[in-house]
Amino acid sequence: MTSSARPLTDLDFCSGSRIEELNKLMEELERLEDITLKGKEVLQNCVQAKDYIFSLLGHIQPIPNLKSLLLLSGGLCSGSLDVSPIDLGSPSPFPSPSISYTLLVPILSLSSYENLTQSSPCHFSVPYSLWDPPPPQPPSKESFVTPHTVSLWFSHSILSAASSFPPSPHLCLEKADIWGNCASVLLSTPSGLLRFDIVPVVEVQGWPPGTQYLEEWVIKEGDFLRHFHLLPWGANDQWRVGFPGVEFSMRRSLYPTLSRVLRACIAILGPFLLEEGEPGPYIVWATLLHACERLPTGFLCREQNVALCLLGLLDELSLSFLRGSCPNPFLSGCDLLKGSCKGPCLARWVSEIRAKPVTCLRKVVREAKGAIRGGEREEREEKEEIMETAEKGSTCYPS
């Protein structure tokens, strides 16, 4: 007697992919990426590297209160900040190690935005009169502090401080360089390389005009989040409005299912979105937030819906690119795709990925496994080199 066939209700209609397989692949990707941060030695090296960078900044004058620093997990282009390859102007001068951070340094803290000049909902100009004393000397005919001028002063100050900073017995400064209105520092530790992208920003208390949804989050998390930042990637020498403090707290409180979706989607799309002229991976995070506004919590927090959320996110991204619009989730009147002429091309590319999600996920899982194996091999080689160096009596100092 033959049993009746089991209905195939776990298939994705568009791609023919099994939902269960997609869920397992995303879970595996999350597990593999988390391996890099596990281990007492790795965590200890991350803390030592952070302390080293904070001490380095303390040697730059004038420098703000170090308590205002905001440390974000992931490099500058990981999707935590609204920044694209166009904003950066050039490819990164560094490799991208498995562990990297973005550090926002408020070089100016303001009690309100009232003395700033707002040219659009998402851009401000900063008058030179607010600097006391002004870090960069202003050109005689300019009345505003431009991001490039400030970043040039700030980055050169970091490079100068790094060249004369006391050595650390646990760290070696491999390289420090200027990149896209920020400075990047590459450190080597016994457990591998660490990278810090250090960005000068202006911190402003309160909210700028046109904000939405932020106040609801502050009520949940506390008043200490009620401020915004001006990032040095605005249009026409202006500063761009961002809310990295609030977004940092939102990411930490994200449902594990959505965190997995975000990680998988950026792993698949990130390399392409970081190519020259593309919008950058922040648009994935923004699109996910728009989805959270219309979907019930009961759907978003269920493990079995992770794959469905990923497929829906790819669909939504394709539609956003096709219509050439992705509104900023926090600031009305700002569009993350404004001025982009590559929408149809991007939509076509995302649709191709949507048609074969299992293949794409398998690829990034293989790459993650390869990175772990390569990292383990490099770690063994580095430890052997350190032991040989110790036997010879030499020490590695920052250059």
Side-chain angles (χ1 to χ4, degrees):
M1 181 178 178
T2 59
S3 60
S4 58
R6 182 181 177 183
L8 298 178
T9 57
D10 65 338
L11 288 179
D12 170 41
F13 182 86
C14 294
S15 65
S17 304
R18 288 186 176 273
I19 299 299
E20 182 180 3
E21 184 176 8
L22 286 171
N23 284 331
K24 288 182 178 179
L25 284 169
M26 295 171 70
E27 184 178 353
E28 175 69 1
L29 178 64
E30 183 178 54
R31 185 188 69 82
L32 291 170
E33 292 186 349
D34 284 344
I35 288 177
T36 59
L37 286 175
K38 291 182 178 179
K40 183 177 180 180
E41 183 181 11
V42 173
L43 293 175
Q44 184 178 8
N45 289 331
C46 289
V47 172
Q48 291 170 344
K50 182 201 71 173
D51 292 342
Y52 176 88
I53 294 296
F54 280 24
S55 298
L56 177 66
L57 291 172
H59 284 69
I60 300 176
Q61 297 297 330
I63 196 70
N65 188 346
L66 293 182
K67 293 182 180 179
S68 298
L69 299 177
L70 180 58
L71 185 66
L72 306 176
S73 179
L76 181 60
C77 294
S78 65
S80 296
L81 293 175
D82 178 12
V83 56
S84 70
I86 296 177
D87 300 319
L88 299 173
S90 63
S92 170
F94 294 152
S96 296
S98 56
I99 301 178
S100 56
Y101 297 95
T102 299
L103 182 61
L104 303 186
V105 181
I107 52 175
L108 178 65
S109 295
L110 303 176
S111 58
S112 74
Y113 67 87
E114 292 179 356
N115 293 322
L116 301 174
T117 300
Q118 186 175 20
S119 56
S120 73
C122 39
H123 293 102
F124 280 92
S125 296
V126 180
Y128 268 113
S129 59
L130 297 178
W131 297 89
D132 184 26
Q137 292 300 320
S140 57
K141 294 184 180 180
E142 292 190 15
S143 57
F144 295 102
V145 178
T146 65
H148 178 70
T149 303
V150 172
S151 300
L152 202 60
W153 160 80
F154 179 75
S155 299
H156 281 297
S157 297
I158 289 180
L159 299 186
S160 177
S163 65
S164 58
F165 198 64
S168 168
H170 308 290
L171 302 169
C172 181
L173 179 60
E174 295 289 337
K175 189 177 181 183
D177 207 345
I178 300 174
W179 174 50
N181 281 353
C182 73
S184 290
V185 177
L186 193 66
L187 301 171
S188 62
T189 73
S191 60
L193 294 173
L194 294 175
R195 171 175 162 173
F196 287 81
D197 295 327
I198 310 174
V199 184
V201 298
V202 177
E203 183 185 79
V204 187
Q205 297 299 315
W207 303 132
T211 55
Q212 53 191 6
Y213 308 120
L214 292 171
E215 197 63 32
E216 300 173 9
W217 186 259
V218 169
I219 292 174
K220 297 178 183 178
E221 296 297 316
D223 190 64
F224 69 95
L225 290 175
R226 192 178 278 106
H227 61 261
F228 66 98
H229 290 78
L230 298 180
L231 308 173
W233 296 293
N236 301 321
D237 288 332
Q238 301 169 85
W239 299 75
R240 183 184 301 165
V241 176
F243 307 93
V246 180
E247 293 180 65
F248 174 71
S249 294
M250 292 178 71
R251 287 170 182 266
R252 293 179 63 183
S253 303
L254 203 63
Y255 297 120
T257 51
L258 292 183
S259 180
R260 190 176 301 166
V261 169
L262 181 65
R263 186 184 304 211
C265 196
I266 288 181
I268 295 172
L269 304 182
F272 183 85
L273 293 175
L274 284 171
E275 292 183 3
E276 184 178 357
E278 307 303 343
Y282 180 82
I283 195 170
V284 178
W285 163 246
T287 304
L288 182 64
L289 291 180
H290 286 305
C292 291
E293 294 172 14
R294 61 177 180 267
L295 294 173
T297 301
F299 177 82
L300 297 173
C301 65
R302 291 179 182 171
E303 286 277 334
Q304 63 266 33
N305 292 336
V306 171
L308 296 176
C309 288
L310 174 66
L311 297 174
L313 184 57
L314 290 172
D315 287 333
E316 186 70 15
L317 282 166
S318 182
L319 289 174
S320 294
F321 290 141
L322 192 60
R323 62 176 174 257
S325 175
C326 180
N328 186 303
F330 307 111
L331 202 57
S332 60
C334 293
D335 197 311
L336 300 179
L337 289 174
K338 183 178 181 180
S340 175
C341 58
K342 303 184 68 174
C345 179
L346 289 168
R348 188 182 311 113
W349 173 74
V350 175
S351 295
E352 291 174 358
I353 290 177
R354 175 64 178 83
K356 49 181 181 180
V358 169
T359 301
C360 296
L361 277 173
R362 284 175 180 167
K363 179 182 177 181
V364 295
V365 166
R366 284 196 303 269
E367 291 173 350
K369 289 180 178 178
I372 291 174
R373 288 193 294 267
E376 291 173 347
R377 183 171 58 253
E378 291 177 2
E379 182 179 348
R380 288 195 300 268
E381 294 173 352
E382 287 177 1
K383 287 183 177 180
E384 292 173 359
E385 184 177 348
I386 290 173
M387 292 178 64
E388 292 176 1
T389 303
E391 291 174 357
K392 295 177 182 179
S394 65
T395 306
C396 180
Y397 295 104
S399 57

